[in-house]
Amino acid sequence: MPLLVKDANTTIQPISTQSDVAGNLVPVHAPASVVGGIATPVGPTAPLPVINTGGAVAVDGSATVAAGGTAQTLFAGVVPINGYLVANNSSAILFVSDVGAATSGGASIPVAAGAVFVTPSGYKPAGAVAFGAAQRARPSRRAGRNETPCLAGRVRLRARHRAADLGAEPGNFSTLSTTGTATMGGDMLMCSGRPWIDVRCNGAVGDDSHDDTMAINMTISTAITNNWPVHLSAGTYKVTSAVSIDYAGQASKGFRLISEAATIDGRAIASGPVLQIQCGGGSTSSPTGCFYFKEEGSLFVNASTPAYAVVLGKADFSDAHNSVKLDHLIVNNASTASSAGGCQLNFVLDSDIYTICVSAGGAAGIALEQTQFSRISGAGTAQGTGGRSLVLENGYNFSSTFSALDLEVSPTCLSITFNHNGLNTFVSPYFNCQTAVNATASIGNVLINPNYGGATVNFGPSSTGITVIGSGSRSRWYFPSSMSYTAAPVDDGLNISSYNAPGASLTVTLPAAGSVNPGWTMGFATDNGKGMTVTAPSGAILSGGKSVSSIVLGPGNYENVALQSDGNNWRVISSTRNTRLVNGFDPPPWPSNWLYPSTSGYAATLADNGNTLSSFNTTAGLSITLPATTGLPTGWSMGFATDSTKPLSVQVNASSGGHIVWPGAGASATTLTLANTAQGAYEFLVLQYDRSGNFRVVDATPATAQAIGMIGAGGISHWSFPAVSAYAAVVADNGSVLSSFNSPLSFFVVTLPSTTAIPMGWTIGIATDSNKTASVQVNGSAGGHILFSGGGATATSVSLAAGNYELLVLQFDGSNFRVVEATPATATQIGLSGNAPGINRWSFPAVGTYAASQSDNGNAVSSYNTPTSSLTVTLPPTSSIGGGWTMGFATDNGKTMTVQVNGAASEKILVPTGGGTSSNSISLATSQNYEFAALQFDGSNFRVVQATPQTLNNLGGLISSGSPASSSACTTNQITHDSNFLYICTATNTWKRVAIMGGY
């Protein structure tokens, strides 16, 4: 029966066929010949020979395998470069061995009658390959002639070739077993799809030199069509374009990629991924449901691409990969591009991922775009600027567990940017980056026992939605050496101490309430004599029926408070007693039992805790001696009150008495006296023992607080009318207002006390009455300065505005006296920034030029009395005035006005016309009276804040009527019109016009 064959370059040719020993139809070979050193077939009993390693022709046919177990070495031990293909067409079992003579039952592979023996191309045996027969059989030249190698570059085995079923893996055959023990020194190439198809079946070499791209992709395509696994034997497979696996055709059955520690070397790929795994055919709204992609064994991928080297899934989330198993994927991208990354997983669900992804670029080692319900382990690195070891971004990344991740070298280890509820758990992650965590969105993510390496500087300044369970390698106590500390979500479970604060107190700011998970907890403690304030930027701190924005830890060391987020606010879950008292979370232990001793002296004891002593029943007042501090409990408290115009004083015990302390008292006071009863009775004061040897003033009525000079007790509480024109204020004037009413002269001058004699918060007021002026000045000895906005730092005196009932209040800040209150006219008089009430007075100078000053704040200047035809006003230097300084300018009596800057600071006059202009001077409109403009200083320049229409028009603002000539005087951008034309001043004294046309 003839077989018709044809290729692309020939016509149809008949080839005769015959049946072989297995009943298969095979070609009848043509007559023997040698062309170019290669033998052609010699006939049906002489199959194709092979080329041996020396390049010469080697033809099997010199002998046959003898019966009775006699071994025969093929080709005299010469190894064909294309391997062996031997068919056993005898009736006996043959045995093959490459470690010596073939023997029945020895270390040999049996080849059954009618079966074949195959080795792959390039097979290198351990020794000469020998064949032997198990029993004597009739010699057959046909059998001998069929024991010939295969000339093809690769061999496809069919299932009926039972010899191929003897081995499951390519490699050394010494452990393969059939009916006996057989040893092979070469590989077994599987091309049948059972158990897999090897990429070498389509010509892949794996020597890192040959381009294996087409062979690998062809093998993958064949495998997907037939639902076969793809096998990558050990080797380095060079590829020049992406290895693409689109297993949509097997979406419900999956795809297996089996690697024997093979390497896909895609460093020649200039852009895009080296390995792309996807499952096409879906859309973002209706993704393809793909299942069971599995990478088995160790697979290495090398790249140098400005993209992610390995990409699983499509970026538009149009393929959902379910139950993915990445066994051991190791990826290295050498590109330093900002977009270069290691591995990107787009839409992955219910999967088990172990991957090590390293990039020299600035994207991410591992990028999870939408990964859910999965388990992820391995390592990630992206060394470039902005690089992240692991990033969760874009889609819904939630309910996954990350176990023992090794995140190193990158600028940021863990980045979370997707804006959804995450609920991801990171178990024992290792962070060794400058910034461990940068989470700007998502909530509900948990770090369990995080481990931080030596490279970590920032644990997580931005760590929204992070909860930390277990301390890991980070100490649970932190002692900042700065004056302030801003807590972050990653500080969950941390305790902050004020021990190392450089000042007297540490200020801690909590994270935004919405950035932490409910249950986030932080502790705060005072140490080393340094206090602490805790502030909530959002939400409130809740305890004891109170809602506050900040709390202050109680006085003394070792005060402690713990706060916990409830999702919206911060709850005090524990605190020391003093902290609760200071913040009003607990009712204070005020003395509540009143006693009225009749003696002039009283010795208090431990039993007086909670008592209040009144001077009511004494003859001329009461003097109380406190108990010795030894044996007194913390919080021992006692109250003191004046009654019936009788004074009361308190002193410490002569033995271990300690001191009485209050803000402004220093640490050495041993006595105090309640306010002078001439100002009224019912003064009150409470002392409390602090267990450090001191009695603290914890409450006092205002007059008593002022009398003892308590800081913070300043305020105006009484008035005084000295009958002098010059008054020297003293400490006792704290809270007093001094009036000029009784001054014997037309003025009243107050000299402030020395700054060394008064406490912080000391307050005094000065007032004008009876048409008498008033002023105040600092002391000549350690007097400090008088400070107010716009006044600089060098003022030593201030005068109140003329007129009655003007008021100025000064308060001592520990170094200087600050203006804390002033009536509007006085505020304007001294140039207090922000207090000018606008134009409030007018002046008509009889000069041709006028130099304005700070005192012109609120003044309007008219040209009425100028002796010339125009008044020129020069504005004050900007260094002499404060923001808000305001002045007005007006034309009168047919005289014009020009306003110009001082120019020392290159300041300008800013005009809101013509798109906004600035100049050194402006002129009010001419040819008519009562033009007006007002300027206000903004801290750098003077702004036109008001102008009459004609002046604004001259400055380039409004449109007036007129018919100017082409060279008439004008200012750029000035506009005018008549019934026929619209005129525009395009440059100084240059007009252009356009006809007005049209109608209704």
Side-chain angles (χ1 to χ4, degrees), residues 577-578 581 588-591 606 609-610 632-638 686-692 694-695 698:
R577 179 172 177 267
N578 277 348
L581 292 174
W590 300 133
L606 174 65
N609 187 16
L632 282 184
T634 299
W636 182 95
S637 301
M638 194 170 183
V686 176
L687 296 180
Q688 188 173 85
Y689 181 59
D690 65 5
R691 201 178 181 180
S692 64
N694 298 304
F695 295 90
V698 294

PDB file of all heavy atoms in Angstrom, residues 577-578 581 588-591 606 609-610 632-638 686-692 694-695 698:
ATOM      1  N   ARG A 577      -4.301  58.140  90.369  1.00  0.00           N
ATOM      2  CA  ARG A 577      -5.304  58.976  91.041  1.00  0.00           C
ATOM      3  C   ARG A 577      -5.097  60.454  90.764  1.00  0.00           C
ATOM      4  O   ARG A 577      -6.049  61.192  90.458  1.00  0.00           O
ATOM      5  CB  ARG A 577      -5.237  58.702  92.551  1.00  0.00           C
ATOM      6  CG  ARG A 577      -6.201  59.508  93.390  1.00  0.00           C
ATOM      7  CD  ARG A 577      -6.164  59.012  94.823  1.00  0.00           C
ATOM      8  NE  ARG A 577      -7.018  59.784  95.697  1.00  0.00           N
ATOM      9  CZ  ARG A 577      -6.608  60.822  96.407  1.00  0.00           C
ATOM     10  NH1 ARG A 577      -5.337  61.200  96.323  1.00  0.00           N
ATOM     11  NH2 ARG A 577      -7.444  61.475  97.194  1.00  0.00           N
ATOM     12  N   ASN A 578      -3.829  60.920  90.877  1.00  0.00           N
ATOM     13  CA  ASN A 578      -3.586  62.349  90.680  1.00  0.00           C
ATOM     14  C   ASN A 578      -3.973  62.794  89.277  1.00  0.00           C
ATOM     15  O   ASN A 578      -4.484  63.891  89.074  1.00  0.00           O
ATOM     16  CB  ASN A 578      -2.113  62.675  90.934  1.00  0.00           C
ATOM     17  CG  ASN A 578      -1.829  62.857  92.413  1.00  0.00           C
ATOM     18  OD1 ASN A 578      -2.747  62.963  93.212  1.00  0.00           O
ATOM     19  ND2 ASN A 578      -0.554  62.882  92.769  1.00  0.00           N
ATOM     20  N   LEU A 581      -7.602  63.246  89.145  1.00  0.00           N
ATOM     21  CA  LEU A 581      -8.022  64.450  89.859  1.00  0.00           C
ATOM     22  C   LEU A 581      -7.710  65.705  89.056  1.00  0.00           C
ATOM     23  O   LEU A 581      -8.540  66.607  88.942  1.00  0.00           O
ATOM     24  CB  LEU A 581      -7.325  64.517  91.219  1.00  0.00           C
ATOM     25  CG  LEU A 581      -7.730  63.459  92.252  1.00  0.00           C
ATOM     26  CD1 LEU A 581      -6.861  63.567  93.494  1.00  0.00           C
ATOM     27  CD2 LEU A 581      -9.195  63.612  92.618  1.00  0.00           C
ATOM     28  N   PRO A 588     -12.766  65.941  93.280  1.00  0.00           N
ATOM     29  CA  PRO A 588     -11.610  66.224  94.141  1.00  0.00           C
ATOM     30  C   PRO A 588     -11.932  65.948  95.596  1.00  0.00           C
ATOM     31  O   PRO A 588     -13.084  66.095  96.030  1.00  0.00           O
ATOM     32  CB  PRO A 588     -11.350  67.715  93.907  1.00  0.00           C
ATOM     33  CG  PRO A 588     -12.668  68.256  93.467  1.00  0.00           C
ATOM     34  CD  PRO A 588     -13.342  67.157  92.703  1.00  0.00           C
ATOM     35  N   PRO A 589     -10.938  65.548  96.380  1.00  0.00           N
ATOM     36  CA  PRO A 589     -11.170  65.264  97.801  1.00  0.00           C
ATOM     37  C   PRO A 589     -11.154  66.561  98.609  1.00  0.00           C
ATOM     38  O   PRO A 589     -10.387  66.721  99.558  1.00  0.00           O
ATOM     39  CB  PRO A 589      -9.986  64.356  98.155  1.00  0.00           C
ATOM     40  CG  PRO A 589      -8.872  64.858  97.278  1.00  0.00           C
ATOM     41  CD  PRO A 589      -9.531  65.285  96.000  1.00  0.00           C
ATOM     42  N   TRP A 590     -12.002  67.551  98.213  1.00  0.00           N
ATOM     43  CA  TRP A 590     -11.979  68.834  98.922  1.00  0.00           C
ATOM     44  C   TRP A 590     -12.402  68.635 100.378  1.00  0.00           C
ATOM     45  O   TRP A 590     -13.304  67.834 100.672  1.00  0.00           O
ATOM     46  CB  TRP A 590     -12.901  69.843  98.255  1.00  0.00           C
ATOM     47  CG  TRP A 590     -12.571  70.165  96.835  1.00  0.00           C
ATOM     48  CD1 TRP A 590     -13.429  70.218  95.803  1.00  0.00           C
ATOM     49  CD2 TRP A 590     -11.300  70.495  96.315  1.00  0.00           C
ATOM     50  NE1 TRP A 590     -12.781  70.553  94.647  1.00  0.00           N
ATOM     51  CE2 TRP A 590     -11.457  70.730  94.934  1.00  0.00           C
ATOM     52  CE3 TRP A 590     -10.021  70.622  96.853  1.00  0.00           C
ATOM     53  CZ2 TRP A 590     -10.413  71.078  94.101  1.00  0.00           C
ATOM     54  CZ3 TRP A 590      -8.967  70.964  96.026  1.00  0.00           C
ATOM     55  CH2 TRP A 590      -9.174  71.192  94.664  1.00  0.00           C
ATOM     56  N   PRO A 591     -11.772  69.389 101.234  1.00  0.00           N
ATOM     57  CA  PRO A 591     -12.216  69.340 102.641  1.00  0.00           C
ATOM     58  C   PRO A 591     -13.694  69.711 102.755  1.00  0.00           C
ATOM     59  O   PRO A 591     -14.155  70.673 102.147  1.00  0.00           O
ATOM     60  CB  PRO A 591     -11.323  70.396 103.319  1.00  0.00           C
ATOM     61  CG  PRO A 591     -10.099  70.452 102.435  1.00  0.00           C
ATOM     62  CD  PRO A 591     -10.598  70.239 101.048  1.00  0.00           C
ATOM     63  N   LEU A 606      -2.707  64.754 111.584  1.00  0.00           N
ATOM     64  CA  LEU A 606      -3.147  63.832 110.545  1.00  0.00           C
ATOM     65  C   LEU A 606      -4.674  63.750 110.503  1.00  0.00           C
ATOM     66  O   LEU A 606      -5.274  63.636 109.439  1.00  0.00           O
ATOM     67  CB  LEU A 606      -2.541  62.446 110.814  1.00  0.00           C
ATOM     68  CG  LEU A 606      -2.997  61.302 109.894  1.00  0.00           C
ATOM     69  CD1 LEU A 606      -2.549  61.554 108.457  1.00  0.00           C
ATOM     70  CD2 LEU A 606      -2.432  59.962 110.392  1.00  0.00           C
ATOM     71  N   ASN A 609      -7.256  65.795 108.175  1.00  0.00           N
ATOM     72  CA  ASN A 609      -7.452  65.530 106.746  1.00  0.00           C
ATOM     73  C   ASN A 609      -8.935  65.673 106.417  1.00  0.00           C
ATOM     74  O   ASN A 609      -9.791  65.002 106.990  1.00  0.00           O
ATOM     75  CB  ASN A 609      -6.979  64.113 106.420  1.00  0.00           C
ATOM     76  CG  ASN A 609      -6.989  63.823 104.913  1.00  0.00           C
ATOM     77  OD1 ASN A 609      -7.056  64.737 104.095  1.00  0.00           O
ATOM     78  ND2 ASN A 609      -6.934  62.549 104.557  1.00  0.00           N
ATOM     79  N   GLY A 610      -9.260  66.599 105.488  1.00  0.00           N
ATOM     80  CA  GLY A 610     -10.642  66.819 105.126  1.00  0.00           C
ATOM     81  C   GLY A 610     -11.320  67.930 105.895  1.00  0.00           C
ATOM     82  O   GLY A 610     -12.487  68.251 105.630  1.00  0.00           O
ATOM     83  N   LEU A 632       2.420  61.469 106.800  1.00  0.00           N
ATOM     84  CA  LEU A 632       1.247  61.963 106.091  1.00  0.00           C
ATOM     85  C   LEU A 632       1.058  61.183 104.793  1.00  0.00           C
ATOM     86  O   LEU A 632       2.013  60.957 104.049  1.00  0.00           O
ATOM     87  CB  LEU A 632       1.392  63.447 105.754  1.00  0.00           C
ATOM     88  CG  LEU A 632       1.145  64.463 106.869  1.00  0.00           C
ATOM     89  CD1 LEU A 632       1.244  65.875 106.302  1.00  0.00           C
ATOM     90  CD2 LEU A 632      -0.214  64.255 107.516  1.00  0.00           C
ATOM     91  N   PRO A 633      -0.166  60.805 104.474  1.00  0.00           N
ATOM     92  CA  PRO A 633      -0.402  60.086 103.216  1.00  0.00           C
ATOM     93  C   PRO A 633      -0.489  61.069 102.045  1.00  0.00           C
ATOM     94  O   PRO A 633      -0.807  62.242 102.210  1.00  0.00           O
ATOM     95  CB  PRO A 633      -1.745  59.398 103.453  1.00  0.00           C
ATOM     96  CG  PRO A 633      -2.463  60.328 104.378  1.00  0.00           C
ATOM     97  CD  PRO A 633      -1.396  60.908 105.280  1.00  0.00           C
ATOM     98  N   THR A 634      -0.231  60.559 100.872  1.00  0.00           N
ATOM     99  CA  THR A 634      -0.423  61.369  99.677  1.00  0.00           C
ATOM    100  C   THR A 634      -1.886  61.788  99.568  1.00  0.00           C
ATOM    101  O   THR A 634      -2.787  60.971  99.749  1.00  0.00           O
ATOM    102  CB  THR A 634      -0.034  60.573  98.421  1.00  0.00           C
ATOM    103  OG1 THR A 634       1.335  60.224  98.501  1.00  0.00           O
ATOM    104  CG2 THR A 634      -0.265  61.381  97.157  1.00  0.00           C
ATOM    105  N   GLY A 635      -2.117  63.063  99.282  1.00  0.00           N
ATOM    106  CA  GLY A 635      -3.482  63.532  99.140  1.00  0.00           C
ATOM    107  C   GLY A 635      -4.073  64.099 100.412  1.00  0.00           C
ATOM    108  O   GLY A 635      -5.215  64.592 100.392  1.00  0.00           O
ATOM    109  N   TRP A 636      -3.330  64.055 101.556  1.00  0.00           N
ATOM    110  CA  TRP A 636      -3.827  64.699 102.781  1.00  0.00           C
ATOM    111  C   TRP A 636      -4.177  66.141 102.448  1.00  0.00           C
ATOM    112  O   TRP A 636      -3.379  66.869 101.854  1.00  0.00           O
ATOM    113  CB  TRP A 636      -2.763  64.620 103.868  1.00  0.00           C
ATOM    114  CG  TRP A 636      -3.166  65.207 105.198  1.00  0.00           C
ATOM    115  CD1 TRP A 636      -3.688  64.539 106.255  1.00  0.00           C
ATOM    116  CD2 TRP A 636      -3.059  66.578 105.599  1.00  0.00           C
ATOM    117  NE1 TRP A 636      -3.924  65.383 107.311  1.00  0.00           N
ATOM    118  CE2 TRP A 636      -3.544  66.653 106.927  1.00  0.00           C
ATOM    119  CE3 TRP A 636      -2.619  67.737 104.990  1.00  0.00           C
ATOM    120  CZ2 TRP A 636      -3.584  67.853 107.639  1.00  0.00           C
ATOM    121  CZ3 TRP A 636      -2.667  68.932 105.694  1.00  0.00           C
ATOM    122  CH2 TRP A 636      -3.142  68.986 106.997  1.00  0.00           C
ATOM    123  N   SER A 637      -5.387  66.560 102.769  1.00  0.00           N
ATOM    124  CA  SER A 637      -5.863  67.879 102.344  1.00  0.00           C
ATOM    125  C   SER A 637      -6.504  68.626 103.504  1.00  0.00           C
ATOM    126  O   SER A 637      -7.111  68.043 104.403  1.00  0.00           O
ATOM    127  CB  SER A 637      -6.899  67.735 101.226  1.00  0.00           C
ATOM    128  OG  SER A 637      -6.353  67.058 100.119  1.00  0.00           O
ATOM    129  N   MET A 638      -6.371  69.975 103.442  1.00  0.00           N
ATOM    130  CA  MET A 638      -6.957  70.818 104.476  1.00  0.00           C
ATOM    131  C   MET A 638      -7.341  72.153 103.858  1.00  0.00           C
ATOM    132  O   MET A 638      -6.637  72.680 102.987  1.00  0.00           O
ATOM    133  CB  MET A 638      -5.972  71.010 105.626  1.00  0.00           C
ATOM    134  CG  MET A 638      -6.577  71.584 106.883  1.00  0.00           C
ATOM    135  SD  MET A 638      -5.412  71.519 108.271  1.00  0.00           S
ATOM    136  CE  MET A 638      -6.454  72.183 109.579  1.00  0.00           C
ATOM    137  N   VAL A 686      -6.998  75.849  99.747  1.00  0.00           N
ATOM    138  CA  VAL A 686      -6.858  74.424 100.069  1.00  0.00           C
ATOM    139  C   VAL A 686      -5.419  74.007  99.815  1.00  0.00           C
ATOM    140  O   VAL A 686      -4.838  74.316  98.760  1.00  0.00           O
ATOM    141  CB  VAL A 686      -7.811  73.555  99.229  1.00  0.00           C
ATOM    142  CG1 VAL A 686      -7.573  72.072  99.511  1.00  0.00           C
ATOM    143  CG2 VAL A 686      -9.262  73.909  99.527  1.00  0.00           C
ATOM    144  N   LEU A 687      -4.837  73.293 100.776  1.00  0.00           N
ATOM    145  CA  LEU A 687      -3.505  72.708 100.637  1.00  0.00           C
ATOM    146  C   LEU A 687      -3.641  71.184 100.593  1.00  0.00           C
ATOM    147  O   LEU A 687      -4.473  70.602 101.286  1.00  0.00           O
ATOM    148  CB  LEU A 687      -2.601  73.104 101.810  1.00  0.00           C
ATOM    149  CG  LEU A 687      -2.267  74.592 101.955  1.00  0.00           C
ATOM    150  CD1 LEU A 687      -1.367  74.816 103.168  1.00  0.00           C
ATOM    151  CD2 LEU A 687      -1.597  75.122 100.694  1.00  0.00           C
ATOM    152  N   GLN A 688      -2.768  70.558  99.795  1.00  0.00           N
ATOM    153  CA  GLN A 688      -2.769  69.097  99.697  1.00  0.00           C
ATOM    154  C   GLN A 688      -1.332  68.610  99.703  1.00  0.00           C
ATOM    155  O   GLN A 688      -0.462  69.168  99.018  1.00  0.00           O
ATOM    156  CB  GLN A 688      -3.482  68.648  98.424  1.00  0.00           C
ATOM    157  CG  GLN A 688      -3.693  67.136  98.344  1.00  0.00           C
ATOM    158  CD  GLN A 688      -4.553  66.772  97.149  1.00  0.00           C
ATOM    159  OE1 GLN A 688      -4.052  66.622  96.057  1.00  0.00           O
ATOM    160  NE2 GLN A 688      -5.865  66.635  97.378  1.00  0.00           N
ATOM    161  N   TYR A 689      -1.091  67.534 100.484  1.00  0.00           N
ATOM    162  CA  TYR A 689       0.270  66.993 100.605  1.00  0.00           C
ATOM    163  C   TYR A 689       0.569  66.096  99.403  1.00  0.00           C
ATOM    164  O   TYR A 689      -0.256  65.257  99.020  1.00  0.00           O
ATOM    165  CB  TYR A 689       0.405  66.200 101.907  1.00  0.00           C
ATOM    166  CG  TYR A 689       1.800  65.636 102.108  1.00  0.00           C
ATOM    167  CD1 TYR A 689       2.910  66.479 102.157  1.00  0.00           C
ATOM    168  CD2 TYR A 689       2.013  64.269 102.221  1.00  0.00           C
ATOM    169  CE1 TYR A 689       4.191  65.981 102.333  1.00  0.00           C
ATOM    170  CE2 TYR A 689       3.289  63.749 102.402  1.00  0.00           C
ATOM    171  CZ  TYR A 689       4.381  64.610 102.442  1.00  0.00           C
ATOM    172  OH  TYR A 689       5.649  64.099 102.601  1.00  0.00           O
ATOM    173  N   ASP A 690       1.770  66.287  98.797  1.00  0.00           N
ATOM    174  CA  ASP A 690       2.112  65.552  97.566  1.00  0.00           C
ATOM    175  C   ASP A 690       3.080  64.407  97.796  1.00  0.00           C
ATOM    176  O   ASP A 690       3.580  63.819  96.846  1.00  0.00           O
ATOM    177  CB  ASP A 690       2.682  66.510  96.515  1.00  0.00           C
ATOM    178  CG  ASP A 690       4.019  67.113  96.943  1.00  0.00           C
ATOM    179  OD1 ASP A 690       4.555  66.722  98.003  1.00  0.00           O
ATOM    180  OD2 ASP A 690       4.516  67.978  96.195  1.00  0.00           O
ATOM    181  N   ARG A 691       3.364  64.095  99.067  1.00  0.00           N
ATOM    182  CA  ARG A 691       4.223  62.982  99.470  1.00  0.00           C
ATOM    183  C   ARG A 691       5.701  63.191  99.108  1.00  0.00           C
ATOM    184  O   ARG A 691       6.517  62.308  99.284  1.00  0.00           O
ATOM    185  CB  ARG A 691       3.734  61.658  98.858  1.00  0.00           C
ATOM    186  CG  ARG A 691       4.243  60.429  99.614  1.00  0.00           C
ATOM    187  CD  ARG A 691       3.710  59.143  99.015  1.00  0.00           C
ATOM    188  NE  ARG A 691       4.179  57.979  99.735  1.00  0.00           N
ATOM    189  CZ  ARG A 691       3.878  56.733  99.438  1.00  0.00           C
ATOM    190  NH1 ARG A 691       3.066  56.493  98.410  1.00  0.00           N
ATOM    191  NH2 ARG A 691       4.341  55.729 100.145  1.00  0.00           N
ATOM    192  N   SER A 692       6.039  64.353  98.588  1.00  0.00           N
ATOM    193  CA  SER A 692       7.453  64.629  98.297  1.00  0.00           C
ATOM    194  C   SER A 692       7.996  65.718  99.208  1.00  0.00           C
ATOM    195  O   SER A 692       9.005  66.344  98.910  1.00  0.00           O
ATOM    196  CB  SER A 692       7.609  65.043  96.828  1.00  0.00           C
ATOM    197  OG  SER A 692       6.920  66.257  96.574  1.00  0.00           O
ATOM    198  N   ASN A 694       6.100  68.417 100.280  1.00  0.00           N
ATOM    199  CA  ASN A 694       5.514  69.720 100.009  1.00  0.00           C
ATOM    200  C   ASN A 694       3.998  69.692 100.168  1.00  0.00           C
ATOM    201  O   ASN A 694       3.345  68.669  99.930  1.00  0.00           O
ATOM    202  CB  ASN A 694       5.856  70.181  98.592  1.00  0.00           C
ATOM    203  CG  ASN A 694       7.340  70.356  98.387  1.00  0.00           C
ATOM    204  OD1 ASN A 694       7.998  71.095  99.111  1.00  0.00           O
ATOM    205  ND2 ASN A 694       7.884  69.660  97.388  1.00  0.00           N
ATOM    206  N   PHE A 695       3.481  70.853 100.529  1.00  0.00           N
ATOM    207  CA  PHE A 695       2.041  71.080 100.542  1.00  0.00           C
ATOM    208  C   PHE A 695       1.722  71.971  99.352  1.00  0.00           C
ATOM    209  O   PHE A 695       2.263  73.069  99.220  1.00  0.00           O
ATOM    210  CB  PHE A 695       1.603  71.752 101.848  1.00  0.00           C
ATOM    211  CG  PHE A 695       1.819  70.900 103.058  1.00  0.00           C
ATOM    212  CD1 PHE A 695       3.015  70.954 103.763  1.00  0.00           C
ATOM    213  CD2 PHE A 695       0.827  70.032 103.513  1.00  0.00           C
ATOM    214  CE1 PHE A 695       3.225  70.167 104.884  1.00  0.00           C
ATOM    215  CE2 PHE A 695       1.021  69.244 104.635  1.00  0.00           C
ATOM    216  CZ  PHE A 695       2.232  69.299 105.327  1.00  0.00           C
ATOM    217  N   VAL A 698      -3.924  73.802  95.943  1.00  0.00           N
ATOM    218  CA  VAL A 698      -4.725  73.201  94.876  1.00  0.00           C
ATOM    219  C   VAL A 698      -5.996  73.990  94.599  1.00  0.00           C
ATOM    220  O   VAL A 698      -6.692  73.725  93.626  1.00  0.00           O
ATOM    221  CB  VAL A 698      -5.069  71.732  95.196  1.00  0.00           C
ATOM    222  CG1 VAL A 698      -3.810  70.886  95.214  1.00  0.00           C
ATOM    223  CG2 VAL A 698      -5.814  71.615  96.524  1.00  0.00           C
TER     224      VAL A 698
END
